[in-house]
């Protein structure tokens, strides 16, 4: 545990326009994976625009390594179908944690991450200082699928004795 930089709370908010994998809909859930952790949301039945609003907490060992997200369609009698994947980085978020934010007004944008060919962002993502804490909202465009996006919110949770 001494190598852990901190805990990252990932709120999986919702999916948008996810692919249909059953007859007319899908039963989606999200898996988030790092080199050491694998966590998943609950299954939302028959919905291509699911709302999870579910918090998953990951230990961050190396902010340079991307976090992988995969959406699956739950099937009862066969293997779950993949509905797309994405990656997101926490490097800019970890760098913002090192800034001296004392005295900043709540709601201040401290950094912006632009969409590019090297990331899965569907649009600009802002890292914001709100109520004494940093948060980052992002919308990820899913790859390896015909359509779909997933909205997330990141919150850094420090460890006792670690700044």
């Amino acid at each position: 545990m001494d190598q852990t930089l901190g805990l990252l709370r990932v709120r999986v908010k919702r999916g948008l326009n996810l692919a249909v994998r059953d007859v007319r809909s899908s039963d989606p859930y999200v898996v988030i994976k790092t080199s050491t952790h694998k966590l998943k949301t609950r299954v939302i039945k028959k919905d291509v625009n699911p709302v999870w609003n579910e918090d998953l907490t990951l230990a961050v060992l190396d902010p340079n390594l991307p976090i992988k997200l995969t959406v699956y369609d739950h099937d009862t009698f066969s293997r779950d179908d993949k509905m797309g994947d994405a990656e997101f980085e926490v490097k800019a978020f970890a760098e913002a944690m090192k800034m001296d934010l004392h005295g900043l007004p709540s709601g201040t944008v401290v950094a912006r991450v632009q969409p590019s060919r090297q990331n899965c962002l569907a649009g600009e993502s802002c890292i914001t200082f709100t109520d004494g804490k940093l948060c980052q909202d992002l919308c990820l465009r899913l790859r390896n699928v015909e359509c779909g996006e997933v909205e997330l919110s990141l919150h850094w949770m420090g460890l006792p004795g670690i700044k």
Side-chain angles (χ1 to χ4, degrees):
M1 191 76 164
D2 56 334
Q3 294 180 340
T4 301
L5 297 176
L7 300 175
L8 182 69
R9 187 179 78 206
V10 179
R11 172 163 283 171
V12 181
K13 293 180 174 179
R14 65 186 184 142
L16 301 164
N17 194 31
L18 299 179
V20 173
R21 289 292 179 258
D22 293 333
V23 176
R24 281 181 269 209
S25 192
S26 293
D27 304 319
Y29 65 95
V30 173
V31 173
I32 294 184
K33 223 164 107 169
T34 66
S35 59
T36 57
H37 290 83
K38 181 178 178 180
L39 301 168
K40 71 179 197 173
T41 65
R42 70 189 186 283
V43 174
I44 304 288
K45 297 282 188 187
K46 296 183 169 105
D47 198 340
V48 293
N49 293 295
V51 176
W52 288 283
N53 280 329
E54 198 165 324
D55 290 339
L56 304 175
T57 303
L58 304 163
V60 176
L61 303 175
D62 184 350
N64 297 308
L65 296 176
I67 297 173
K68 298 178 188 328
L69 175 145
T70 308
V71 181
Y72 291 95
D73 170 48
H74 175 73
D75 289 321
T76 305
F77 300 109
S78 62
R79 200 166 149 199
D80 291 354
D81 301 313
K82 196 170 174 183
M83 296 173 65
D85 62 84
E87 288 183 349
F88 62 96
E89 294 187 359
V90 295
K91 187 175 182 177
F93 196 62
E95 288 296 319
M97 290 298 300
K98 296 176 186 175
M99 295 178 181
D100 179 14
L101 304 173
H102 182 74
L104 281 182
S106 188
T108 301
V109 174
V110 296
R112 298 175 191 274
V113 182
Q114 299 299 324
S116 71
R117 293 187 186 273
Q118 285 73 43
N119 64 38
C120 295
L121 292 174
E124 180 180 76
S125 175
C126 294
I127 300 170
T128 310
F129 183 71
T130 305
D131 298 327
K133 297 179 183 176
L134 280 178
C135 65
Q136 181 179 5
D137 290 325
L138 49 153
C139 184
L140 301 175
R141 183 168 289 126
L142 298 175
R143 304 178 294 198
N144 304 311
V145 68
E146 58 272 19
C147 59
E149 295 178 353
V150 175
E151 289 184 359
L152 306 174
S153 183
L154 308 180
H155 299 269
W156 191 262
M157 300 165 55
L159 294 174
I162 299 176
K163 187 174 178 184

